[in-house]
Structures are given as structure tokens and as C-alpha cells.
Amino acid sequence: RTEEAILTEGIGYIRKGAFADCDCLHQVVLPISLKEIGDSAFENCSSLKSVSLPMMLEKIGDNTFKQTGLKTLKIPKSVYWIGDGVLSGCRKLEQIIIPENIDTVPRRMFEECTALKKVVLHENLNAIGDRAFFGCSSLDFIIIPDSVKCIGQDAFSNTDKQFIIQCSF
């Protein structure tokens, strides 16, 4: 039963599903050399409360942190690609800042993140994917910047009953 994972310097890639379903894993230390985290690498690691992503990370695969215990996640500015459903089902996630280098909130990124209260979207964001915030029942307010040209199907369905979208469409 793995509780802690410390990856050594020189590792550049974590394979698909590498730590998936390690429900006792609560701490992960990632090396600065890491460039890419594969699909579902930490999916269903329900005890994982925090992870510090290295400043040179470039890609985060589909469902990478799906259904983990993360409360927050700081995505470095070096990340240029984020897969679908990266944080879906993270029921303890409370806040997130989408970095300026990400032009689209991917599909299902925050689906069923029931504790999510605060989301900061930047002024260069182009699109919000299908079901991006679906089921975020604690999300009651979001400001959508003028740069957003497309909002996907059910992007904000099943949010707080008093949910307010501020935009200038």
C-alpha cells in the first residue's frame, strides 16, 4: 500500500494510470525534470490532498487527478495542454486559477467538483468545454471574460440554485 511517492530527478514522463487507484497515496513529490503526466496517472487516489506541479511541466493528460482528494491545484504557466476531466469528481477542490497560457477550459474539467466555490478565468480564455463545471453545486458566481467565444453544452448545468454568470455577451 503506497502512501508516499517521491520521484527522482531525471524522470520526464509519468505513464498512463501509473498511480491510479492507490487510495492510500497521500503525498507525491514530483521532480523538476517532469514534462508530462499521462492520462489517469493519479485517478482515484482519494487520499491525495495536495500535489506541487513542477514549474517546467508542459502537459497534463485526461483524467489525471480525477476523483482525488485535492483541495486546490496550482497549474504552472509552463503547461500548454490540459486533457479532459483532469479534476472531475474532486469533491474537496475549493478553488482554482486557470493560468493565462491555457486558452480553453477542457471538457468535464471540474465536473462534479461539489466543493468548488471560486474560479478565476483569465482575459485571454477562448472557450469553456462541454460539462466543464457540470454538477459544481457550490459554485454560485463566475465572471466570463469577453475573450470567451464558445461555451460548451451543459458547461454550467447543476450548479448552485443561485448561480450567477457575469459576462458582457
Side-chain angles (χ1 to χ4, degrees):
R1 294 170 57 104
T2 304
E3 293 183 16
E4 199 174 80
I6 300 170
L7 304 181
T8 58
E9 196 56 44
I11 294 173
Y13 176 72
I14 296 175
R15 290 192 172 273
K16 178 180 181 177
F19 296 94
D21 302 315
C22 290
D23 59 350
C24 292
L25 184 67
H26 64 86
Q27 182 179 1
V28 176
V29 178
L30 301 174
I32 294 170
S33 57
L34 190 67
K35 300 279 189 229
E36 183 176 344
I37 303 174
D39 296 350
S40 303
F42 296 97
E43 185 174 349
N44 294 323
C45 293
S46 57
S47 297
L48 186 61
K49 304 286 185 249
S50 67
V51 63
S52 181
L53 298 179
M55 297 311 293
M56 301 306 284
L57 187 67
E58 296 173 353
K59 292 176 75 177
I60 302 172
D62 295 345
N63 304 315
T64 298
F65 297 107
K66 181 178 182 177
Q67 296 180 340
T68 61
L70 291 176
K71 290 185 178 182
T72 188
L73 184 68
K74 184 172 188 218
I75 301 169
K77 292 182 179 178
S78 57
V79 174
Y80 65 85
W81 191 85
I82 297 176
D84 295 340
V86 167
L87 291 160
S88 65
C90 292
R91 297 185 184 275
K92 295 182 181 177
L93 187 74
E94 295 177 0
Q95 63 179 2
I96 194 80
I97 297 171
I98 305 294
E100 291 183 21
N101 45 308
I102 301 301
D103 67 353
T104 300
V105 176
R107 295 181 307 158
R108 303 181 327 277
M109 184 165 183
F110 304 106
E111 184 176 45
E112 301 296 337
C113 290
T114 54
L116 188 62
K117 293 177 185 168
K118 183 175 182 184
V119 178
V120 178
L121 303 176
H122 59 80
E123 294 295 325
N124 297 319
L125 191 69
N126 291 326
I128 297 171
D130 295 349
R131 297 174 68 101
F133 297 94
F134 182 92
C136 294
S137 54
S138 295
L139 187 63
D140 58 6
F141 181 77
I142 196 165
I143 298 172
I144 298 179
D146 292 344
S147 57
V148 172
K149 305 295 182 234
C150 178
I151 297 175
Q153 184 174 353
D154 292 324
F156 297 102
S157 294
N158 293 357
T159 50
D160 186 276
K161 290 178 181 162
Q162 304 296 320
F163 182 63
I164 296 170
I165 296 177
Q166 181 177 322
C167 60
S168 58
F169 288 115

